[in-house]
């Protein structure tokens, strides 16, 4: 009888895809949390000005210590304040996205504008690379009615700041990428060992022979490229 093929079948490729998907989900498990190194410099209340003459308060990593306006018991991270009142522009932290020269913090919906027309407030903080740990914020632009209507009746308030913490985004993103690769490799190795035990009754990995031969194949490929560059023939096969 012929031995089973050592090449990945459609079912094994499906399992590999599932393992990579799981690793991506695992890497996003802390998506709604501030990195621990940010809690100190970004976990306090900051104040600034809005472009209509009012002011704002923001706490990037935690909720504002004294709430916002009359809603003192609700979670608010970005608050617009004016004489005698205030409006929560952003709720709890929803996600943190890291890039090479900036970090973007997105928040859950803030206080609704009852209207008419009715709008939902959304907020975002963008920290660009520069300065020191303590962020310096620009004037907050308050979304106009036309801008809210063009954004599917959502008013997006984006607060820009400068901090050297924004320079570390590439490192965090690289670490996430490495975690995704390593998690996928572990799930691939363990998952297929279990798969072979369940389907064939033996412990082992269905692609072990392929991976064990990979170093020699990589070496042969590298030598082939080097010989081509040097103008030599690297064929180890005799002519028929």
């Amino acid at each position: 009888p012929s031995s089973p093929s050592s090449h990945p079948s459609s079912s094994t490729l499906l399992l590999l895809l599932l393992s990579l998907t799981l690793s991506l989900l695992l890497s996003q498990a802390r998506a709604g949390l501030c990195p621990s190194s940010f809690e100190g410099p970004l976990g306090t209340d900051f104040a600034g000005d809005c472009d209509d003459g009012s002011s704002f308060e923001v706490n990037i990593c935690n909720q504002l210590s004294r709430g916002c306006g009359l809603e003192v018991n609700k979670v608010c991270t970005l608050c617009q304040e004016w004489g005698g009142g205030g409006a929560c522009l952003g709720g709890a932290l929803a996600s943190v996205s890291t890039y090479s020269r900036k970090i973007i913090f997105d928040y859950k919906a803030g206080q609704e504008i009852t209207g008419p027309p009715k709008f939902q407030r959304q907020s975002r903080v963008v920290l660009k690379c520069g300065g020191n740990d303590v962020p310096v914020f620009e004037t907050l632009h308050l979304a106009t009615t036309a801008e809210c209507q063009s954004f599917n009746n959502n008013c997006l308030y984006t607060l820009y700041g400068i901090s050297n913490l924004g320079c570390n985004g590439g490192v965090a993103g690289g670490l996430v990428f490495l975690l995704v690769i390593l998690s996928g490799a572990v799930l691939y190795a363990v998952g297929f060992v279990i798969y072979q035990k369940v389907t064939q009754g033996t412990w082992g990995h269905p692609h072990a022979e392929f991976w064990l031969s990979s170093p020699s194949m990589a070496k042969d490929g590298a030598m082939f490229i080097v010989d081509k560059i040097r103008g030599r023939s690297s064929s180890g096969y005799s002519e028929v």
Side-chain angles (χ1 to χ4, degrees):
S2 60
S3 59
S5 171
S6 61
H7 296 288
S9 64
S10 58
S11 60
T12 58
L13 289 175
L14 177 60
L15 283 176
L16 177 59
L17 180 61
L18 289 174
S19 68
L20 290 175
T21 302
L22 284 174
S23 67
L24 285 170
L25 291 175
L26 288 173
S27 71
Q28 294 298 320
R30 286 179 55 84
L33 300 177
C34 250
S36 57
S37 59
F38 290 3
E39 287 286 349
L42 301 183
T44 57
D45 296 355
F46 297 94
D49 298 321
C50 301
D51 59 3
D52 69 342
S54 61
S55 60
F56 71 83
E57 277 196 305
V58 63
N59 191 315
I60 296 177
C61 286
N62 302 307
Q63 68 186 74
L64 290 167
S65 58
R66 60 184 182 85
C68 179
L70 299 177
E71 299 186 337
V72 294
N73 296 320
K74 289 189 177 182
V75 175
C76 185
T77 51
L78 179 60
C79 175
Q80 178 195 4
E81 296 179 322
W82 56 87
C88 182
L89 307 183
L93 181 62
S95 66
V96 181
S97 303
T98 58
Y99 302 90
S100 60
R101 302 284 292 176
K102 65 181 177 182
I103 300 178
I104 297 178
F105 302 83
D106 284 300
Y107 300 87
K108 295 180 181 179
Q111 187 177 345
E112 187 180 64
I113 301 174
T114 56
K118 183 182 292 186
F119 296 122
Q120 183 63 63
R121 291 183 173 98
Q122 305 282 344
S123 66
R124 168 180 292 175
V125 174
V126 180
L127 281 188
K128 297 179 286 187
C129 176
N132 51 37
D133 282 2
V134 179
V136 176
F137 294 104
E138 299 177 5
T139 300
L140 175 62
H141 169 65
L142 299 175
T144 64
T145 300
E147 290 171 340
C148 296
Q149 290 174 335
S150 66
F151 198 60
N152 296 322
N153 288 340
N154 288 305
C155 298
L156 179 61
Y157 301 90
T158 303
L159 177 62
Y160 292 94
I162 297 176
S163 168
N164 65 10
L165 296 175
C167 307
N168 300 326
V171 176
L175 288 176
V176 170
F177 176 75
L178 288 177
L179 286 174
V180 170
I181 297 299
L182 290 175
S183 301
V186 171
L187 288 172
Y188 165 75
V190 175
F192 279 117
V193 168
I194 298 173
Y195 173 79
Q196 180 161 309
K197 177 63 177 178
V198 172
T199 57
Q200 300 183 22
T202 59
W203 289 107
H205 199 285
H207 311 145
E209 183 179 347
F210 168 78
W211 291 113
L212 289 173
S213 63
S214 294
S216 61
M217 290 190 293
K219 179 182 177 181
D220 291 342
M223 293 303 298
F224 175 80
I225 294 173
V226 170
D227 288 337
K228 283 294 184 182
I229 294 174
R230 293 178 176 176
R232 295 201 306 250
S233 173
S234 60
S235 174
Y237 300 97
S238 58
E239 294 183 1
V240 179

